[in-house]
Amino acid sequence: MLTFFRTPALSGVKTSLKLAEIQQLAPQVIGLETEFISYVDEGGPLSESEGGSLNWFLAETFEPDQFGASSFFGSGGRIIEVGPRLGR
C-alpha cells in the first residue's frame, strides 16, 4: 500500500470557517491544518513509468512542493483523519 500526501486540503477561507465551527464545540482548539491522503493499493511493484504517472495524477501541478510520500504535519498536535463522506 502506497501513501501520498497533499497539502492543504482546504482553502484558507474554508479552513478558517471549519476552525470556527470546531471552536464552537471545543474552544481550546487554536489551529487547524489540512491535507489530503491518498492510499494506493498497487497490487505489485510499479515500473518507473507507472510511478511517474501516479505522481503526476495525484500531485498539484502548480505546487509540486506540497505533495509527497510523508505527512506535512509536524509533531506536537493531535491528528484526526476524516474519511470520505458518502454522497459527496
Side-chain angles (χ1 to χ4, degrees), residues 35-76:
E35 69 183 2
F36 286 114
I37 306 172
S38 298
Y39 296 101
V40 179
D41 185 0
E42 72 276 21
L46 297 178
S47 69
E48 188 174 326
S49 174
E50 291 169 328
S53 294
L54 182 60
N55 281 331
W56 177 85
F57 180 72
L58 295 173
E60 172 61 52
T61 306
F62 300 107
E63 298 169 323
D65 58 325
Q66 295 179 346
F67 173 78
S70 59
S71 176
F72 291 88
F73 296 152
S75 61

Side-chain angles (χ1 to χ4, degrees), residues 10-47:
L10 299 176
S11 69
V13 171
K14 287 186 178 183
T15 298
S16 295
L17 292 171
K18 186 57 68 178
L19 177 59
E21 192 177 316
I22 291 168
Q23 288 174 327
Q24 289 179 358
L25 300 172
Q28 69 275 19
V29 175
I30 59 171
L32 177 65
E33 296 178 72
T34 62
E35 69 183 2
F36 286 114
I37 306 172
S38 298
Y39 296 101
V40 179
D41 185 0
E42 72 276 21
L46 297 178
S47 69

Side-chain angles (χ1 to χ4, degrees), residues 10 18 21 81-88:
L10 299 176
K18 186 57 68 178
E21 192 177 316
E81 186 172 336
V82 178
R85 294 173 61 182
L86 296 176
R88 298 247 171 175

